[in-house]
Amino acid sequence: MQASGQDTILDCLLNIKRTMDPTLAFRYSCGHGMCGSDAVSINGTPALLCTATVEQWAIQPQKPQENAFRRTGVRTDDIEAALESASSPSDPSKTPVSQSGDSSASSAPSSDQGDWGVISLSALPGFPVQRDLIADIDSMLEQIIKLKPYLQADGVLATTDEGKVDVFEYLQRPDQLAKYEVLSNCIACGVCEGSCPVFAGGDAFIGPAALVNASRFINDSRDRATDARMDAIDTADGIAACQSVRACSRQCPKGIDVGEEIWQLIAQVRER
Ligand code: SF4
Ligand code: FES
């Protein structure tokens, strides 16, 4: 298969699916970093398929031990051995393309100048694998939903004396908006959860994505449920479970410094 350095890994997978293996399963929707549906592990690092390019990940692959957390039981030399053997064309049992039912896939695109190298893919860590590159992220979405990720403000959907929906505007200063604006960019992709060694260790920890969404509304001057929101995360499985490893900050596709935001959230909850 031919690929250019600017091709995304999603482009490569679509090409593989069309021309080589129609059974290969992966999830995507918008194709340009907006929906968050295509988070997987690329060379051991959680990232989005649609924004990761071949030259980023194949020419200068980020080694798992330098840039990502590994789940307990996965040794670095095991990963490197798998990368090496997948790149060997002489052994047909080590094909670079995933087979149906596998939870991992590798693509070895080539350019006119020669091989790009190997890109190793697997489903997003920390979640059960549904099939191939598709992880079941329901546990993350349920944790986010539990924290009521919507504005709870006085007067929302108020009606007038005539029974009509009241129309009014919320006034907010730029400095008030700045307190949560970046957090509202979260697309619930799960990259931070896949990077978090605490979340990967069990189902109980509420997880960085849910905490980012809680913080988004706690810091919104219009919201009136701050105390209830803080109570909901002030638990053993909430902020108390965060170990401040900050791996969650490394690959957020929306540029949110997740670890720092959680650190500030913990301070807000403790100081109230
Ligand atoms: S905080 Fe960033 S990495 Fe985490 S779910 Fe939101 S967008 Fe994805
Ligand atoms: S397909 Fe939507 S973020 Fe990648």
Side-chain angles (χ1 to χ4, degrees), residues 10 28-38 48 50 187:
L10 177 61
Y28 76 103
S29 182
C30 70
H32 54 273
M34 297 300 291
C35 71
S37 65
D38 59 339
L48 301 181
C50 65
I187 52 175

Side-chain angles (χ1 to χ4, degrees), residues 65-119:
Q65 70 272 27
E66 292 171 352
N67 294 297
F69 276 85
R70 289 172 286 113
R71 297 188 65 184
T72 305
V74 180
R75 292 171 43 221
T76 302
D77 38 358
D78 289 345
I79 295 172
E80 288 182 341
L83 289 174
E84 264 177 37
S85 63
S87 65
S88 166
S90 58
D91 186 343
S93 69
K94 294 167 183 169
T95 173
V97 181
S98 79
Q99 301 301 305
S100 175
D102 281 358
S103 61
S104 65
S106 298
S107 67
S110 61
S111 68
D112 290 344
Q113 294 79 37
D115 286 343
W116 282 110
V118 171
I119 300 171

